Amino acid sequence: MILYFSGTGNSRFIAEGLNKICDDELINLKDLMKNGGTGELHSDKPFVFVLPIHAFRIPGKISEFIETIKFTGSSDAYFIVDCGGSPGNALKYIKNTCKKVNLQLKGFDAINMPASYIVMYNPPDVNSEAVHDSLVYQKSQIERIGRDINEGKEFFNRPSDFKGKIQSSILNPIFVKMMIKTKDFAVSDKCVKCGSCVLRCPLNNVFFNGKPEWGDNCMHCMACLSGCPSNAIEYGNKTVGRNRYYLLKHYGDVN
Ligand SMILES: Cc1cc2nc3c(=O)[nH]c(=O)nc-3n(C[C@H](O)[C@H](O)[C@H](O)COP(=O)(O)O)c2cc1C
Ligand code: SF4
Ligand code: SF4
């Protein structure tokens, strides 16, 4: 079973690729989260998690959610993360999560994807040649990982250095406390009231009150802001004029 969470489409793209190679069941964790969770998930094949890196770990809200699930059938797990450049020492925290849900971690890898955190920098144009070339290159990495999973191999790639350990242990909690706020989300008159932002939020944190409004339960996945088809959502003045990176292309469409 391949379980993914994706704010801006990168992890979904990787999960689709792994699923093509592993010929397995593809589950979007967002749907489970939105619907209040699932008691138990059964798979006779390994559980393969595909998740973005947020502040040098997998998002806390996602690991908390995974820890509510009872996994039955296979006890093997693979974690494939994707990031703009550095996964830090995410592996250490993934091992803790696996222990809590009685899964045996058999593999870890990190794939570099176009960095999409619009609040911190200007992401690349999703339709650019550079993004296309990056996706084509990463398809070969995804195929390699998929083959290794199919063969039941153990692999632990992208080991952390000292800097990564500091990033994940010290910077992550500071980031979560200081950066993950919602008061700066605002909607402009470009909003066509389509409601997509409400549907996209995994935490049901966007409410429609004549126009979208944000509660406090957020992980800054950027699904609402970057996925808005009218580019009507801003985060203070940080996102003004920046590219909305929201990958809609499917794995099979990129050659
Ligand atoms: C809140 C947040 C924090 C992020 N922190 C990191 C990070 O620590 N290291 C990194 O390389 N990329 C970081 N990124 C970039 C994402 O990991 C990258 O864009 C990822 O591919 C997004 O996956 P998704 O499109 O499936 O959501 C961050 C993105 C977000 C939204
Ligand atoms: S997704 Fe954009 S256009 Fe649609 S309701 Fe939300 S803010 Fe408005
Ligand atoms: S409010 Fe937006 S950024 Fe926050 S969790 Fe929901 S979709 Fe993600």
Side-chain angles (χ1 to χ4, degrees):
M1 181 178 288
I2 297 175
L3 302 120
Y4 72 94
F5 171 78
S6 190
T8 61
N10 283 340
S11 313
R12 191 243 331 131
F13 182 88
I14 296 167
E16 280 179 0
L18 290 176
N19 193 42
K20 186 164 179 276
I21 294 145
C22 300
D23 191 20
D24 207 337
E25 192 181 352
L26 192 58
I27 304 275
N28 186 347
L29 285 171
K30 182 204 88 175
D31 295 335
L32 303 183
M33 292 169 82
K34 266 191 110 56
N35 295 330
T38 174
E40 183 175 323
L41 285 176
H42 180 90
S43 174
D44 293 324
K45 287 182 164 187
F47 293 96
V48 180
F49 296 86
V50 185
L51 306 170
I53 290 292
H54 286 183
F56 313 106
R57 298 191 199 175
I58 58 169
K61 301 272 184 196
I62 303 291
S63 46
E64 280 164 24
F65 181 71
I66 291 171
E67 288 163 20
T68 66
I69 302 172
K70 184 173 181 214
F71 295 95
T72 60
S74 174
S75 56
D76 292 340
Y78 290 93
F79 274 72
I80 312 304
V81 299
D82 56 284
C83 56
S86 172
N89 191 23
L91 175 59
K92 174 180 168 184
Y93 303 86
I94 287 169
K95 281 181 181 164
N96 289 344
T97 293
C98 285
K99 214 176 263 175
K100 287 185 187 162
V101 290
N102 295 318
L103 286 175
Q104 176 91 20
L105 187 63
K106 279 195 82 177
F108 169 84
D109 210 335
I111 297 179
N112 284 359
M113 293 292 276
S116 61
Y117 189 26
I118 184 171
V119 168
M120 283 193 86
Y121 43 75
N122 190 16
D125 175 354
V126 73
N127 294 314
S128 65
E129 209 170 307
V131 165
H132 176 265
D133 291 350
S134 162
L135 298 177
V136 170
Y137 172 72
Q138 295 308 351
K139 279 183 81 164
S140 59
Q141 308 301 309
I142 296 164
E143 280 164 25
R144 169 184 55 79
I145 293 169
R147 280 195 303 272
D148 286 351
I149 293 172
N150 269 346
E151 289 169 19
K153 280 192 185 158
E154 283 202 6
F155 55 86
F156 289 90
N157 299 325
R158 299 282 295 262
S160 176
D161 57 10
F162 181 70
K163 188 174 158 203
K165 286 178 184 152
I166 298 295
Q167 287 170 328
S168 298
S169 61
I170 296 174
L171 294 185
N172 174 282
I174 295 173
F175 172 88
V176 171
K177 195 155 185 249
M178 308 292 290
M179 284 292 289
I180 303 193
K181 309 244 188 278
T182 54
K183 68 174 176 39
D184 286 344
F185 282 111
V187 68
S188 74
D189 56 13
K190 288 194 274 184
C191 175
V192 294
K193 304 184 192 310
C194 68
S196 301
C197 47
V198 177
L199 296 177
R200 285 201 173 95
C201 179
L203 299 172
N204 294 319
N205 191 46
V206 188
F207 307 93
F208 205 81
N209 225 343
K211 62 178 182 125
E213 289 176 359
W214 282 259
D216 292 330
N217 185 22
C218 179
M219 62 168 134
H220 266 206
C221 72
M222 296 296 123
C224 55
L225 190 153
S226 298
C228 168
S230 306
N231 291 353
I233 305 174
E234 301 289 356
Y235 190 82
N237 57 14
K238 288 188 176 144
T239 53
V240 176
R242 288 184 174 172
N243 291 318
R244 269 59 181 160
Y245 180 94
Y246 193 80
L247 184 64
L248 291 168
K249 281 182 194 138
H250 292 286
Y251 186 84
D253 299 336
V254 175
N255 295 300

